[in-house]
């Protein structure tokens, strides 16, 4: 469970797996635009791809929320 609470590791995952491949645009960004545009032609493997590339970002958002809502936050 310590791995899911390590800021350095999660930020590294966001910048590598979360954005790769980087050109011509980050992969996750292109998939999210596709979903917002109606997801025409999207298959199950594309949704799994969004989940895999988005998981580090979900972990980062989780850590930020936990940090902001903890009682002993300094």
């Amino acid at each position: 469970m310590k791995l899911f609470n390590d800021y350095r590791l999660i930020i590294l995952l966001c910048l590598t797996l979360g954005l790769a491949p980087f050109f011509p645009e980050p992969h996750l960004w292109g998939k999210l635009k596709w979903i917002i545009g109606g997801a025409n032609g999207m298959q199950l493997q594309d949704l799994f791809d969004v989940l895999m590339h988005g998981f580090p970002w979900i972990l980062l958002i989780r850590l930020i929320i936990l940090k902001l809502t903890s009682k002993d936050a300094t």
Side-chain angles (χ1 to χ4, degrees):
M1 199 63 183
K2 182 177 166 106
L3 288 175
F4 292 129
N5 293 324
D6 185 10
Y7 275 105
R8 293 177 293 179
L9 176 64
I10 292 176
I11 289 172
L12 178 67
L13 287 173
C14 286
L15 295 177
T16 55
L17 176 64
L19 294 176
F22 302 100
F23 297 104
E25 67 182 5
H27 191 62
L28 182 63
W29 180 249
K31 294 283 186 176
L32 289 175
K33 288 191 326 188
W34 191 10
I35 291 171
I36 291 170
N40 296 330
M42 187 168 271
Q43 298 176 351
L44 186 59
Q45 68 187 17
D46 296 313
L47 293 173
F48 181 72
D49 194 34
V50 170
L51 179 66
M52 292 302 293
H53 286 279
F55 188 67
W57 295 100
I58 293 169
L59 288 177
L60 183 63
I61 292 168
R62 177 190 155 271
L63 274 179
I64 292 170
I65 290 171
L66 288 175
K67 182 69 174 174
L68 292 176
T69 60
S70 67
K71 292 183 181 181
D72 56 284
T74 56

